[in-house]
Amino acid sequence: LDKLSVAIDGPAGAGKSTVAKQVANRLNLVYIDTGAMYRAVTLKALRGEVDLDRQEELTGLARQSRIDLVGATPQRVFLDGEDVTEEIRTPEVSRSVSLVAMVPGVREVLVEQQRRLAEETGVVMDGRDIGTVVLPRAQAKFFLTASAEERARRRAKELMDKGYTIDITALTEEIRERDQLDSNRTVSPLVPAGDAIIIDSSGMTVEEVVHRIVAEIKQGE
Ligand code: C5P
C-alpha cells in the first residue's frame, strides 16, 4: 500500500513551510523541509570556502553530508550531527543557496534522500520540484504562490522578528532574483506540476490556505 505523499511547491516566501507543517499536523504526516537540505549543503560549502561554481566539489560535499530533519515546530536541522537550524537561515546562506541548488549532482544526491524519506512514511514535502521530480506520483500536489511584494513583506517580518535590520527594497530584489534563478535553471526548474492545484495566498490567512489544502486532500481520498 502506497504511503500518502503531499507535495507543496512554490517560490520563496509563499508561506509553504508554515502551511505544510500545519497540514502535516492535521493529517498525522511527517513534515519534510527540502529547502533546509539545500541550505545545509550550502552552509557546509561556505564554511569550507568551496567556490560555488565548483560543481564536482559541491556534489562531493553533498554526498559526504549527513542531514537529519527532526520534529516539526520548529523542525531542527542537523548537519553531520551538529544543530544548524538557525545558521542555515542567515542572509548569507539565502544569497548562495540557489547557486548550490543549480548543481545537478547536488540535486541527485538530495532527491534520492527525499524519495527514501517518502518511502518510509507519509509525508508533506515542501520544496520547488517535489510534484514534478521528487514525487511525481504524489497523491496531492499544490503550488503555493503570492506576489513578490507580499512575499518580501512576510520574509521581512520573519527576519525582523529574529533581530535583523531589513531593507525591504533590497529584500524584494533578492527574492525576485532567487525566483529568477530557481525558475530558469535547466535542472528541475520551479514550475507547477501539470496536476498541481495552484493557490495564490496573497490576501489569504494561513488558516484559510491550510483549510483549502486539507479539504482538497480529503476530497481526493
Ligand atoms: O525553501 P527555501 O527558501 O528554504 O529553499 C532555499 C533554496 O533551495 C531555494 O531558493 C532553491 O534554490 C533551493 N531548493 C530547491 N529545491 C527544493 C527546495 C529548495 O532547489 N526542493
Side-chain angles (χ1 to χ4, degrees):
L1 194 85
D2 264 5
K3 307 239 167 12
L4 179 61
S5 303
V6 177
I8 302 188
D9 291 303
K16 294 186 305 285
S17 67
T18 312
V19 164
K21 275 176 206 169
Q22 294 196 20
V23 170
N25 212 3
R26 299 266 172 100
L27 301 176
N28 243 318
L29 301 170
V30 173
Y31 166 65
I32 309 272
D33 177 2
T34 62
M37 301 171 76
Y38 290 94
R39 287 172 178 275
V41 175
T42 304
L43 175 65
K44 191 158 169 167
L46 292 173
R47 281 179 173 177
E49 298 182 4
V50 174
D51 259 338
L52 298 185
D53 48 14
R54 307 283 295 248
Q55 302 217 344
E56 272 170 41
E57 270 180 64
L58 292 171
T59 303
L61 269 193
R63 203 170 285 127
Q64 291 152 22
S65 302
R66 190 194 153 87
I67 301 167
D68 297 296
L69 305 175
V70 181
T73 39
Q75 180 151 82
R76 302 221 68 90
V77 183
F78 292 84
L79 171 63
D80 303 323
E82 178 194 348
D83 187 339
V84 294
T85 311
E86 273 80 38
E87 224 183 318
I88 59 166
R89 306 275 162 207
T90 59
E92 201 192 354
V93 172
S94 298
R95 273 195 302 273
S96 306
V97 62
S98 289
L99 298 175
V100 174
M102 260 169 23
V103 179
V106 170
R107 303 202 70 84
E108 218 169 277
V109 171
L110 296 185
V111 165
E112 193 193 310
Q113 292 177 14
Q114 291 155 10
R115 287 188 181 141
R116 220 177 306 131
L117 289 168
E119 272 165 26
E120 283 164 16
T121 174
V123 295
V124 178
M125 211 173 260
D126 142 9
R128 301 293 187 285
D129 60 337
I130 310 305
T132 50
V133 175
V134 181
L135 306 173
R137 298 182 54 222
Q139 293 88 339
K141 300 180 184 178
F142 300 90
F143 193 87
L144 198 57
T145 180
S147 70
E149 290 74 19
E150 170 91 23
R151 291 187 283 121
R153 263 196 303 277
R154 290 180 190 165
R155 266 293 146 93
K157 186 175 177 306
E158 238 173 70
L159 288 166
M160 283 189 297
D161 289 347
K162 285 185 195 158
Y164 288 102
T165 325
I166 293 305
D167 172 350
I168 185 81
T169 316
L171 191 68
T172 310
E173 195 44 45
E174 189 196 300
I175 284 192
R176 282 226 172 83
E177 211 171 289
R178 192 133 69 93
D179 287 352
Q180 183 76 9
L181 285 170
D182 290 344
S183 306
N184 294 309
R185 65 183 177 215
T186 3
V187 213
S188 310
L190 171 66
V191 285
D195 51 350
I197 296 171
I198 299 177
I199 301 176
D200 185 337
S201 72
S202 314
M204 282 174 89
T205 64
V206 169
E207 180 47 39
E208 284 167 343
V209 179
V210 171
H211 189 84
R212 167 90 200 278
I213 290 179
V214 170
E216 294 281 359
I217 295 170
K218 291 210 163 134
Q219 206 187 340
E221 269 177 354

